Amino acid sequence: MRYARIATPEAMTFAVVEGDGEDIKFKAISNHPFEAPEYTGKEYGPDEVRLLAPMLPSKILLIGRNYADHVQEVFNQSASTLPPTLFMKPPTSIIGPGAAIKIPDFAQKVEFEGEIALVISKPCKNVKKENWRDVVLGLTIVNDVSDRNLQFAEGQWTRGKGIDTFCPMGPWIDTDIDAYDLADTKIKGHLTHEGETKTWQDSSTNQMIWDFGEIIEYITGSITLLPGDVISTGSPAGTKRMVPGDTIAIEVEGLGTLRNTVTEA
């Protein structure tokens, strides 16, 4: 089942997503995605809603340096010598599909990073890696927007990755985890610049160093996760600088596409 968070002329609400393309429908629910849906009877087409970030988490945790090809690309080291690392983005960095990534004038080298993210379903601590699915509601897409100059100059990643609008998320949450080949799910990042679209990221989860279970075991060993918290599991190679006027589309096989424009702040 796919859950979206939508804005309509009447309200903001969660909705169950059915169909695809022009046939897609958003069926509003009166409750939240953590329990069986209670339908309101209202149904909307794609032109009748604005998609919002599918969840507003208490925290967004991200794993850096978790794809072997990306470690070599950005850090010029092998994954065996530079292990994955954990960092966070503030909730104020979150935007939904179609919203603008706003680049402030002090951010001079901003890149996109397309990633698969996990949405947590219940409070959890000390989760064993083999039990990770027990605490995950579903999958979504995150664009881990990053100012490389700030990231590397300051020695920690909070400001370079936590700027307002630097965490696009969506378009929805897919709870059907078993439908995915998580060992080899394709991730692509498309950049449109001056009317020309080019695919820069074209990789797969087969490049992951820590798998989903290992990530959740590592995080919950020290941090309690709450329902709705989001864990973004790392970016493959192919990240690219983006500038105002560009459009970024992150595509995950079977999950959908997260598309955002880029403007000046």
Side-chain angles (χ1 to χ4, degrees):
M1 184 171 288
R2 291 177 293 168
Y3 288 98
R5 192 168 143 264
I6 61 173
T8 73
E10 296 86 17
M12 290 185 293
T13 185
F14 285 106
V16 171
V17 185
E18 295 184 352
D20 290 292
E22 295 182 357
D23 297 327
I24 198 168
K25 295 292 183 183
F26 299 90
K27 301 176 69 173
I29 61 175
S30 60
N31 54 348
H32 50 68
F34 305 110
E35 57 189 16
E38 297 176 0
Y39 294 96
T40 66
K42 294 184 178 181
E43 185 175 293
Y44 303 92
D47 297 331
E48 299 175 291
V49 304
R50 178 167 59 92
L51 283 175
L52 307 172
M55 190 59 63
L56 292 177
S58 73
K59 50 189 172 290
I60 310 106
L61 300 111
L62 303 94
I63 301 295
R65 305 188 307 229
N66 195 38
Y67 278 68
D69 53 3
H70 184 56
V71 173
Q72 183 63 46
E73 171 190 52
V74 174
F75 300 93
N76 295 315
Q77 295 188 45
S78 71
S80 61
T81 61
L82 195 64
T85 188
L86 176 66
F87 63 98
M88 300 176 73
K89 286 180 183 264
T92 47
S93 65
I94 295 173
I95 58 173
I101 300 164
K102 298 180 180 180
I103 299 179
D105 56 9
F106 60 81
Q108 296 297 309
K109 190 181 179 184
V110 178
E111 298 185 356
F112 69 86
E113 298 188 62
E115 307 189 2
I116 296 175
L118 310 176
V119 181
I120 298 301
S121 61
K122 59 186 177 181
C124 56
K125 181 77 185 294
N126 295 321
V127 179
K128 297 301 182 183
K129 60 184 179 181
E130 60 269 21
N131 298 326
W132 73 270
R133 290 176 186 244
D134 296 343
V135 301
V136 171
L137 173 68
L139 310 177
T140 192
I141 302 172
V142 159
N143 184 351
D144 174 21
V145 180
S146 307
D147 182 332
R148 296 296 187 209
N149 288 348
L150 291 176
Q151 178 184 358
F152 295 125
E154 297 187 349
Q156 51 78 32
W157 298 358
T158 301
R159 193 161 77 105
K161 288 173 171 280
I163 295 169
D164 290 352
T165 76
F166 273 30
C167 190
M169 184 186 304
W172 39 63
I173 300 165
D174 190 347
T175 65
D176 190 8
I177 298 173
D178 291 336
Y180 294 83
D181 178 7
L182 296 178
D184 189 20
T185 297
K186 304 298 185 294
I187 303 173
K188 295 184 179 182
H190 312 287
L191 169 65
T192 301
H193 178 71
E194 295 182 346
E196 181 181 353
T197 300
K198 184 171 181 179
T199 299
W200 290 96
Q201 279 187 304
D202 190 359
S203 190
S204 165
T205 53
N206 63 23
Q207 289 291 306
M208 290 180 75
I209 299 164
W210 289 351
D211 63 25
F212 296 154
E214 291 169 319
I215 291 170
I216 287 183
E217 182 175 282
Y218 176 78
I219 292 173
T220 61
S222 55
I223 298 173
T224 297
L225 298 177
L226 301 176
D229 283 350
V230 172
I231 301 172
S232 200
T233 59
S235 170
T239 63
K240 188 68 176 177
R241 184 182 180 187
M242 54 190 186
V243 298
D246 291 348
T247 298
I248 308 301
I250 307 301
E251 177 187 356
V252 173
E253 180 183 18
L255 185 52
T257 300
L258 171 64
R259 184 175 286 101
N260 296 88
T261 57
V262 184
T263 67
E264 294 180 352

